[in-house]
């Protein structure tokens, strides 16, 4: 643990940078993907375009995006903004599909009943539809956030600071401990964010606390992950 | 060899959590009969059925098929020797109709060509067009899927057919067709069929014998449909069989000794006449018939207004129930009797039908007293 | 956009297509690493996923394992294995296998576990043994989902193999790493286009396989 002891302020700093690059794309991606998905569900044209488009986006390697984006955005290749935008695109790609599924899984009868009771469209979306879509939405978010955290470290190859820096630096200087610490912290971050999202889903869906649906939701999450 | 095909001896099923699905069941199912297990949901009728092919293993007692304990052969071999039809057809979605039907012969090692050939024959047996052979289950209607399910169960020519609510997921009109076809099929094939349903009407219609199960897996009564309707063993059975059972039990009483009366008829060309024995006084109801003599409707006495739509018809060999229904549904109160070709041959009077019901009641010591 | 033009110029240059560091060689290396990785991942994940899906035993472990493996950073594993095992083919391949296992495992497990119980019941009632139910009922009906998982894994592997150039191996990532070192952006962008095209091509081939392997009856089903 000598290396860790000597370098913990640096490690902490990199953890912070990693966290920013992990959380921001998930938030931004969710803000883009969820409304888009809702629009896509209703549209015969938009749905195939968005679903196919997002799966095409997913075929582009992250390293590739990190390199191409600065050319398009005019940012520095090593800037954080660059990584955030690239990863946001990935989150959108993963989330769009699972969010479309989430909205499609909402019982139409309930929506019709809400309209019949006098809900106007926006209010119905916010208070009924969104709530009912939460379990599947959260399942998609969890998959997106976990793979995102792992992808952030790739930025280190082109010089963007994150926990990935411990990998490139550790390899160059042959310090196994540095790499192991990096992996461990990445996994811890992933677990913490996952727990946070799980908790969020739990709080937002009090009607599901009987717990009988949790297995289904997990299965769905797995299926989505596999099909993404 | 006895004439008992399937025998339950103290067969029971209790799950590890202590719930009893079936109490110790004693039941004998005659060879070549269609036996129906009926009861409310959770009464153990399906569990009992599934004990026959060991989809459920009894926790007590034994089940024997053709004198052989079902546990004495490997489960998969036992199952291949019995046809099985389930509620949600259970067809393999990735296989065509013909390959679905050929499933069990293929499992038994029959060459593909031969198995398919046999499968094509079976399509006709269950009343499906040969052109459906290459379709996939998703391209079939619910009724067609169930027919394929029946064909699949028959493919290996099993002496025993197990049917678990096979018709309950199809619409009522199709269900009636399927029920009638099953009866036709059984007339030709004489299999030992065990049929599970929650619908007492279906049970009474199809069964040679009906086993009524009560909640908790108790066998409440095992009897012919006629006996079940006429003399329910207890309040549970009486309640389950329902409020119309007195009327429905007349299904099993032949109406051959009812006197036939003459009736005035008028043909489309205006020609008037009489059918039936004897003559009729003028001024009564007049039956409108078509050129072939089939009943079309009734004209009110006094010949005023349009003809009234007629009631149901009483056919040769019909029961007291059909006679009574024909009288009650006819605007004239007279039941129109027709011959096999559908021509009117006379009328039956409601009062005489009711009198026949009364005679029938007195002939039966147990009676049909309402609960 | 001049940079794009120069990237295309690099792609069009015959010099880029010849020699030991030419595009055909790098492309084959890239495909070879990806193929080897996928084969190893399939050998591990498919049987495990099928077994767990069929028996229902250890499903909790599989869900947790797939989640945990997803959280492991591939770059971290790549560098760690290289440090521990030395340079060579196996360290990066092992790291990439760990990346490919979760989607394949989840696909195989979820595919089999989600086959309708009524269908499995029908298979058993017709007299199929456990193995026959797996081979004749579960596997064919779950095939689209299983192949979907494999497709998703293949996509990730082809994209991520780019990174192995970082530890002195070949593949299309070579241009990216070498280009970065000398700030040759046209070569980097050119290689990026190549990787994206390769990923699309691999995905298209697997999509075709998925379609051909799926019974028309399943495509018709709602």
């Amino acid at each position: 643990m000598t290396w860790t002891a000597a370098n913990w302020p640096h490690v902490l700093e990199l953890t912070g940078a990693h966290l920013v690059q992990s959380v921001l794309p998930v938030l931004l991606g969710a803000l883009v993907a969820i409304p888009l998905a809702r629009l896509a569900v209703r549209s015969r044209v938009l749905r195939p375009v968005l679903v196919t488009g997002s799966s095409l986006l997913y075929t582009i390697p992250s390293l590739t995006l990190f390199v191409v984006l600065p050319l398009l955005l005019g940012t520095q290749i090593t800037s954080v903004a660059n990584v955030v935008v690239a990863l946001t695109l990935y989150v959108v790609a993963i989330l769009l599909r699972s969010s479309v599924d989430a909205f499609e899984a909402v019982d139409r009868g309930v929506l019709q009943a809400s309209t019949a009771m006098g809900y106007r469209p926006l209010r119905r979306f916010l208070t009924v539809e969104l709530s009912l879509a939460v379990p599947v939405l959260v399942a998609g978010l969890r998959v997106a956030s976990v793979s995102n955290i792992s992808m952030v470290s790739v930025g280190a190859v082109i010089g963007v600071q994150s926990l990935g820096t411990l990998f490139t630096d550790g390899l160059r200087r042959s310090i196994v401990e540095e790499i192991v610490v990096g992996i461990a912290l990445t996994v811890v971050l992933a677990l913490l964010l996952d727990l946070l999202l799980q908790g969020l889903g739990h709080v937002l869906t009090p009607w599901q606390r009987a717990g009988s649906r949790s297995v289904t939701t997990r299965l769905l999450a797995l299926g989505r992950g596999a099909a993404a | 060899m006895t004439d008992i095909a399937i025998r339950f001896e103290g067969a029971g099923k209790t799950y590890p959590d202590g719930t009893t699905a079936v109490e110790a069941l004693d039941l004998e199912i005659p060879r070549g009969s269609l036996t129906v297990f009926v009861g409310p949901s959770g009464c153990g009728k399906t569990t009992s059925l599934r004990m026959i092919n060991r989809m459920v293993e009894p926790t007590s007692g034994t089940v024997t098929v053709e004198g052989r304990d079902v546990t004495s052969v490997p489960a998969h071999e036992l199952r291949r020797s019995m046809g099985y039809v389930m509620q949600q057809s259970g067809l393999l979605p990735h296989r065509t109709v013909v390959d679905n039907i050929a499933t069990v012969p293929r499992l038994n090692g029959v060459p593909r060509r031969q198995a398919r050939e046999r499968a094509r024959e079976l399509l006709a047996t269950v009343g499906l067009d040969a052109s459906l052979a290459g379709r996939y289950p998703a391209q079939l209607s619910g009724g067609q899927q169930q027919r394929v399910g029946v064909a699949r169960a028959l493919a290996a020519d099993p002496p025993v057919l197990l049917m678990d609510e096979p018709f309950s997921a199809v619409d009522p009109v199709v269900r009636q067709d399927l029920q009638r076809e099953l009866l036709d099929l059984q007339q030709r094939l004489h299999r030992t069929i065990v049929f599970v349903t929650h619908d007492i009407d279906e049970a009474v219609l199809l069964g040679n014998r009906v086993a009524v199960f009560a909640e908790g897996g108790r066998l409440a009564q095992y009897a012919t449909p006629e006996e079940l309707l006429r003399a329910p063993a207890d309040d549970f059975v009486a309640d389950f069989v329902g409020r119309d059972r007195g009327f429905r039990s007349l299904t099993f009483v032949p109406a051959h000794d009812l006197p036939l009366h003459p009736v005035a008829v008028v043909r489309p060309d205006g020609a008037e006449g009489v059918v039936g024995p004897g003559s009729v006084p003028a001024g009564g109801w007049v039956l409108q018939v078509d050129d072939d003599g089939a009943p079309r409707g009734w004209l009110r006495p006094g010949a005023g207004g349009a003809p009234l739509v007629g009631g149901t018809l009483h056919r040769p060999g019909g029961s007291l129930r059909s006679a009574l229904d024909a009288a009650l549904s006819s605007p004239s109160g007279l039941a129109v009797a027709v011959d096999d070709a559908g021509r009117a041959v006379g009328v039956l009077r409601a009062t005489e039908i009711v009198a026949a019901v009364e005679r029938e009641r007195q002939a039966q010591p147990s009676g049909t007293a309402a609960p | 956009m001049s940079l794009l033009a120069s990237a295309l110029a690099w792609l069009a240059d015959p010099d880029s297509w010849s020699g030991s560091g030419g595009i055909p060689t790098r492309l084959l290396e890239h495909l070879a690493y990806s193929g080897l990785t996928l084969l190893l991942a399939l050998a591990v994940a498919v049987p495990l996923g099928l077994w767990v899906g069929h028996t229902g035993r250890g499903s909790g472990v599989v869900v947790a394992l797939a989640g945990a493996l997803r959280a492991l950073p591939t770059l971290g594993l790549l560098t760690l294995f290289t440090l521990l095992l030395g340079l060579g083919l196996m360290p990066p391949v092992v790291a990439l296998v760990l990346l490919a296992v979760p989607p394949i495992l989840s696909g195989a497990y979820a595919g089999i576990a989600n086959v309708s119980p009524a269908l499995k019941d029908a298979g058993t009632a017709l007299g199929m043994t456990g193995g026959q139910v797996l081979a004749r009922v579960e596997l064919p009906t779950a095939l689209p989902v299983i192949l979907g998982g494999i497709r998703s894994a293949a996509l990730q592997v082809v994209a991520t193999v780019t990174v192995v150039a970082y530890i002195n191996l070949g593949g299309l990532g070579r241009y990216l790493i070498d280009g970065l070192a000398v700030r040759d952006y046209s070569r980097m962008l050119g290689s990026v286009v190549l990787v994206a095209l390769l990923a699309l091509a691999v995905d298209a081939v697997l999509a075709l396989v998925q379609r051909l392997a799926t019974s028309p009856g399943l495509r018709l089903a709602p």
Side-chain angles (χ1 to χ4, degrees):
Chain A
M1 299 302 278
T2 47
W3 180 88
T4 317
N7 293 282
W8 69 266
H10 180 53
V11 170
L12 217 58
E13 195 181 307
L14 292 176
T15 309
H18 200 103
L19 194 62
V20 170
Q21 292 170 67
S22 311
V23 172
L24 263 183
V26 173
L27 288 178
L28 294 173
L31 281 178
V32 174
I34 293 174
L36 264 185
R38 180 60 188 74
L39 287 176
V41 169
R42 279 293 165 85
S43 159
R44 287 229 177 103
V45 185
L46 207 54
R47 189 178 191 282
V49 169
L50 284 178
V51 171
T52 317
S54 65
S55 56
L56 282 182
L57 189 64
Y58 203 67
T59 64
I60 303 173
S62 52
L63 199 50
T64 304
L65 266 190
F66 293 158
V67 173
V68 174
L69 274 175
L71 305 175
L72 298 175
L73 301 174
T75 50
Q76 283 291 311
I77 196 163
T78 52
S79 97
V80 172
N82 191 10
V83 171
V84 168
V85 173
L87 292 177
T88 301
L89 285 175
Y90 277 115
V91 172
V92 170
I94 299 178
L95 266 191
L96 198 62
R97 224 197 131 117
S98 67
S99 304
V100 166
D101 291 345
F103 287 120
E104 271 177 357
V106 174
D107 187 343
R108 294 203 169 211
V110 173
L111 295 183
Q112 279 169 7
S114 316
T115 309
M117 283 186 287
Y119 276 92
R120 276 183 297 184
L122 183 64
R123 181 143 187 216
R124 190 186 78 166
F125 172 69
L126 291 175
T127 58
V128 181
E129 204 172 355
L130 204 53
S131 309
L132 291 177
V134 158
V136 184
L137 283 180
V138 167
L141 266 175
R142 290 172 65 188
V143 171
S145 101
V146 168
S147 46
N148 191 39
I149 286 173
S150 161
M151 237 188 276
V152 166
S153 48
V154 175
V157 172
I158 54 161
V160 181
Q161 298 278 300
S162 71
L163 286 172
T165 308
L166 298 179
F167 306 150
T168 52
D169 191 60
L171 180 67
R172 207 175 55 241
R173 295 163 55 192
S174 294
I175 305 172
V176 171
E177 188 187 328
E178 187 175 356
I179 298 177
V180 171
V181 166
I183 293 176
L185 284 175
T186 314
V187 171
V188 167
L189 273 189
L191 284 180
L192 285 179
L193 270 186
D194 195 54
L195 278 178
L196 198 72
L197 284 171
Q198 201 178 354
L200 184 75
H202 192 71
V203 170
L204 290 178
T205 55
W207 61 90
Q208 285 208 323
R209 287 204 196 139
S212 58
R213 288 279 292 277
S214 65
V215 175
T216 321
T217 314
R218 280 162 97 185
L219 261 180
L220 275 174
L222 267 176
R224 297 284 127 62
Chain B
M1 218 42 175
T2 62
D3 56 355
I4 299 303
I6 302 168
R7 177 178 275 127
F8 290 85
E9 281 169 292
K13 179 71 184 179
T14 302
Y15 286 100
D17 67 359
T19 49
T20 297
V22 179
E23 258 181 36
L25 177 66
D26 290 299
L27 195 71
E28 288 178 342
I29 295 173
R31 183 172 309 111
S33 74
L34 201 166
T35 300
V36 181
F37 290 181
V38 68
S41 57
C43 66
K45 56 190 189 296
T46 294
T47 307
S48 302
L49 179 86
R50 288 163 72 95
M51 288 198 283
I52 301 173
N53 68 350
R54 284 177 66 192
M55 292 296 283
V56 171
E57 302 275 0
T59 43
S60 63
T62 55
V63 179
T64 53
V65 175
E66 298 296 350
R68 207 172 48 164
D69 188 330
V70 291
T71 56
S72 67
V73 278
H76 63 273
E77 277 173 32
L78 177 81
R79 291 171 191 147
R80 285 179 205 175
S81 71
M82 300 178 187
Y84 192 85
V85 187
M86 52 202 287
Q87 184 179 356
Q88 302 293 346
S89 77
L91 298 178
L92 304 178
H94 60 290
R95 291 200 190 158
T96 57
V97 165
V98 77
D99 284 339
N100 260 293
I101 298 175
T103 304
V104 179
R106 292 287 294 136
L107 287 174
N108 286 332
V110 175
R112 187 186 299 265
R113 263 180 81 120
Q114 201 181 324
R116 284 187 174 166
E117 213 165 291
R118 167 89 180 118
R120 288 209 175 79
E121 290 169 21
L122 279 164
L123 275 180
T125 308
V126 296
L128 284 176
D129 196 86
S131 65
L132 296 179
R135 298 249 183 115
Y136 288 97
Q139 295 170 300
L140 303 180
S141 70
Q144 289 171 328
Q145 288 187 16
Q146 286 311 128
R147 284 190 173 92
V148 175
V150 173
R152 178 172 72 174
L154 291 170
D157 224 13
V160 173
L161 211 56
L162 307 178
M163 307 182 84
D164 186 7
E165 306 217 18
F167 306 150
S168 53
V170 294
D171 70 71
V173 176
V174 176
R175 189 183 312 147
Q176 275 190 4
D177 289 347
L178 290 169
Q179 288 167 342
R180 200 165 42 234
E181 283 165 29
L182 178 65
L183 288 175
D184 286 352
L185 206 63
Q186 175 64 347
Q187 287 247 304
R188 280 179 280 147
L189 302 177
H190 299 291
R191 301 303 153 99
T192 303
I193 302 179
V194 186
F195 188 108
V196 165
T197 180
H198 58 259
D199 176 358
I200 184 66
D201 288 316
E202 188 168 62
V204 166
L205 175 73
L206 296 178
N208 300 120
R209 292 179 73 78
V210 177
V212 182
F213 286 76
E215 274 103 343
R218 178 178 65 89
L219 179 63
Q221 189 169 8
Y222 182 43
T224 62
E226 181 185 359
E227 205 179 324
L228 200 67
L229 292 170
R230 203 189 58 232
D234 57 22
D235 285 349
F236 170 80
V237 179
D239 193 42
F240 187 74
V241 165
R243 55 197 297 193
D244 297 331
R245 68 183 163 86
F247 178 57
R248 282 193 273 127
S249 70
L250 297 177
T251 308
F252 303 100
V253 184
H256 48 74
D257 57 352
L258 287 175
L260 199 61
H261 299 280
V263 64
V265 296
V266 57
R267 293 179 188 283
D269 58 13
E272 292 179 12
V274 172
V275 296
S279 59
V280 282
W285 283 83
V286 177
L287 182 67
Q288 239 192 354
V289 295
D290 64 12
D291 290 322
D292 297 326
R296 308 298 304 159
W298 286 97
L299 293 171
R300 216 176 262 289
L308 299 166
V309 176
T312 58
L313 302 172
H314 181 67
R315 295 179 187 281
S319 63
L320 268 184
R321 177 178 173 176
S322 97
L324 186 57
D325 191 59
L328 294 177
S329 64
S330 163
S332 63
L334 297 165
V336 179
V338 294
D339 63 13
D340 284 314
R343 289 184 296 255
V345 293
V347 291
L348 309 171
R349 290 190 183 139
T351 48
E352 287 169 355
I353 299 168
V354 173
V357 172
E358 188 54 36
R359 280 199 302 281
E360 174 65 23
R361 181 198 301 272
Q362 278 159 8
Q364 295 291 344
S366 49
T368 50
Chain C
M1 196 170 160
S2 65
L3 195 58
L4 190 62
S6 64
L8 289 176
W10 176 79
L11 278 175
D13 186 352
D15 281 353
S16 309
W17 291 83
S18 61
S20 63
I23 291 170
T25 314
R26 295 293 180 223
L27 201 65
L28 281 179
E29 285 170 352
H30 204 103
L31 279 175
Y33 299 154
S34 306
L36 180 63
T37 303
L38 271 179
L39 281 182
L40 290 176
L42 285 174
V44 176
V46 170
L48 184 62
L50 294 187
W51 185 76
V52 172
H54 179 69
T55 59
R57 255 175 276 170
S59 58
V61 176
V62 161
V63 172
L65 184 74
L69 284 181
R70 258 188 240 280
L72 285 176
T74 307
L75 186 67
L77 298 179
L78 207 66
T79 50
L80 180 65
F81 292 159
T82 304
L83 264 195
L84 294 179
L85 306 172
L87 289 176
L89 189 58
M90 281 333 276
V93 165
V94 171
L96 289 168
V97 166
L98 289 177
L99 170 81
V101 161
I104 300 177
L105 184 61
S106 309
Y109 162 68
I112 297 290
N114 282 344
V115 172
S116 118
L119 209 54
K120 293 186 239 186
D121 198 63
T124 310
L126 290 176
M128 292 184 190
T129 58
Q132 284 170 330
V133 170
L134 179 62
R136 298 181 186 219
V137 179
E138 293 174 320
L139 202 55
T141 46
L143 204 57
V145 180
I146 298 174
L147 289 173
I150 294 173
R151 216 174 125 184
S152 150
L155 215 56
Q156 285 184 36
V157 168
V158 168
T160 313
V161 160
T162 323
V163 181
V164 304
Y166 183 71
I167 48 157
N168 298 326
L169 281 171
L172 291 168
R174 202 62 267 150
Y175 300 121
L176 209 61
I177 302 296
D178 294 348
L180 189 66
V182 296
R183 305 276 149 180
D184 178 355
Y185 290 116
S186 55
R187 197 190 331 170
M188 289 171 74
L189 193 56
S191 72
V192 150
V193 170
L194 284 177
V195 177
L197 286 178
L198 181 65
L200 283 177
V202 167
D203 194 47
V205 168
L206 288 177
L208 189 69
V209 169
Q210 192 175 15
R211 190 172 170 81
L212 291 178
T214 303
S215 155
L218 293 175
R219 251 178 281 139
L220 291 162

